[in-house]
Amino acid sequence: MKINRVWAMPNKNTFKIKPIHELIEKYMDSNKIWIDPFARTNQFKCITNDLNTNFNTDYNLESLDFLNMFESNYVDGVLFDPPYSPRQMKESYQSIGLKMTQEQTQSRFYSKRKAKIAKILKPNGVCISFGWNSNGIGKTKGFEIIEILLVSHGSNHNDTICTVERKLFT
């Protein structure tokens, strides 16, 4: 496993941070099927989704509904960049006039999405997860960590941890 640490200015559009953009480019093959359930302003060639209709995405569904559109072992890659905290989730929902539910503040909200990603990703497929931890999809779901990129944003900002995993089995 490779671990890199870099410094970069924070940006609410994660993929516009240069070292993160470069990491995605390193793993993404535009000839394969990649998806992004929390796309925001994602400009990479993949099937995009965001609940907010103000973003130019292919779909505007709740993330689990979007993931449920795909058959088992269908997707080659996933960009998994959900809101990192309940505060960020609340801001995202409020910005489009929705209220956050109690379920969305619990770990099971992300667990359901990770389980679905594990099901729809092909063996040898890649998931790149972003957040404040390096949990990714997880070893118990058949994934191995290939690379971790730690992006430090300075003393008053949390780091962004990018975890690249490969699915080993179905």
Side-chain angles (χ1 to χ4, degrees):
M1 170 183 33
K2 182 178 179 182
I3 300 176
N4 293 321
R5 182 176 184 193
V6 297
W7 296 90
M9 293 299 296
N11 187 327
K12 65 182 175 183
N13 296 310
T14 308
F15 303 162
K16 292 189 177 186
I17 299 170
K18 185 178 179 185
I20 293 174
H21 189 93
E22 291 170 349
L23 178 78
I24 295 168
E25 284 182 328
K26 177 179 172 181
Y27 287 96
M28 182 179 269
D29 180 344
S30 61
N31 294 319
K32 297 196 174 192
I33 299 169
W34 278 74
I35 65 170
D36 183 349
F38 299 92
R40 290 187 53 87
T41 60
N42 177 1
Q43 297 298 309
F44 287 101
K45 187 179 179 220
C46 59
I47 302 167
T48 57
N49 176 70
D50 200 283
L51 196 54
N52 189 332
T53 58
N54 292 325
F55 294 120
N56 185 21
T57 56
D58 298 310
Y59 296 92
N60 299 109
L61 303 171
E62 197 288 319
S63 58
L64 193 56
D65 293 336
F66 172 73
L67 293 169
N68 281 329
M69 291 175 32
F70 301 96
E71 300 287 327
S72 296
N73 301 312
Y74 179 78
V75 175
D76 296 293
V78 178
L79 299 174
F80 187 61
D81 186 27
Y84 298 175
S85 69
R87 180 192 57 80
Q88 287 180 339
M89 186 170 291
K90 183 178 180 184
E91 289 172 2
S92 295
Y93 274 75
Q94 284 180 336
S95 73
I96 57 173
L98 296 176
K99 290 192 183 254
M100 193 168 83
T101 66
Q102 182 177 357
E103 180 196 5
Q104 293 158 334
T105 65
Q106 299 170 344
S107 62
R108 121 179 88 196
F109 177 82
Y110 293 110
S111 296
K112 286 180 182 179
R113 282 137 189 86
K114 289 177 180 184
K116 189 62 181 180
I117 288 169
K119 185 175 181 180
I120 65 174
L121 197 62
K122 293 177 182 176
N124 294 313
V126 172
C127 182
I128 307 176
S129 301
F130 306 87
W132 292 334
N133 63 60
S134 61
N135 291 342
I137 304 302
K139 187 176 181 178
T140 60
K141 291 182 178 65
F143 285 73
E144 71 172 348
I145 295 175
I146 303 168
E147 182 173 351
I148 294 176
L149 174 66
L150 175 64
V151 182
S152 300
H153 300 298
S155 62
N156 293 325
H157 299 281
N158 290 321
D159 296 340
T160 300
I161 302 173
C162 313
T163 306
V164 182
E165 297 172 286
R166 184 171 318 282
K167 182 178 176 181
L168 298 176
F169 54 84
T170 306

